[in-house]
Amino acid sequence: MSKVQIRCRARGPLAVEGDFELFGLDGEPIDMGDRKRVLLCRCGVSKSRPICDGSHYRTDFEAPPPEPEDT
């Protein structure tokens, strides 16, 4: 099994790297060619969702801080 890494960015997309498949809302695969890295939109403004197009730079998008863990 290949390793996939997903990194969160506070004011931006999720960076996904590795050997993965990406599917659209219709359940159909999205052609990624040979790319092993993709940025996924979290702000909801990208015109190429689920792929990030940098639109978050023109918004006030900020991921909420993590919830404190219960102790």
Side-chain angles (χ1 to χ4, degrees):
M1 178 181 290
S2 297
K3 182 176 180 180
V4 174
Q5 293 181 348
I6 302 174
R7 292 189 175 100
C8 298
R9 298 177 174 191
R11 291 209 66 237
L14 295 175
V16 182
E17 297 180 57
D19 188 21
F20 58 90
E21 291 182 87
L22 185 60
F23 295 86
L25 289 174
D26 58 3
E28 293 296 316
I30 296 173
D31 181 13
M32 301 300 298
D34 291 333
R35 292 196 305 187
K36 297 294 182 190
R37 181 173 187 267
V38 68
L39 301 176
L40 297 179
C41 175
R42 291 195 301 155
C43 73
V45 183
S46 175
K47 289 183 176 32
S48 59
R49 282 185 310 233
I51 307 299
C52 175
D53 67 2
S55 293
H56 59 278
Y57 289 120
R58 297 183 300 277
T59 71
D60 291 331
F61 174 76
E62 180 110 19
E67 294 289 325
E69 291 189 31
D70 293 332
T71 55

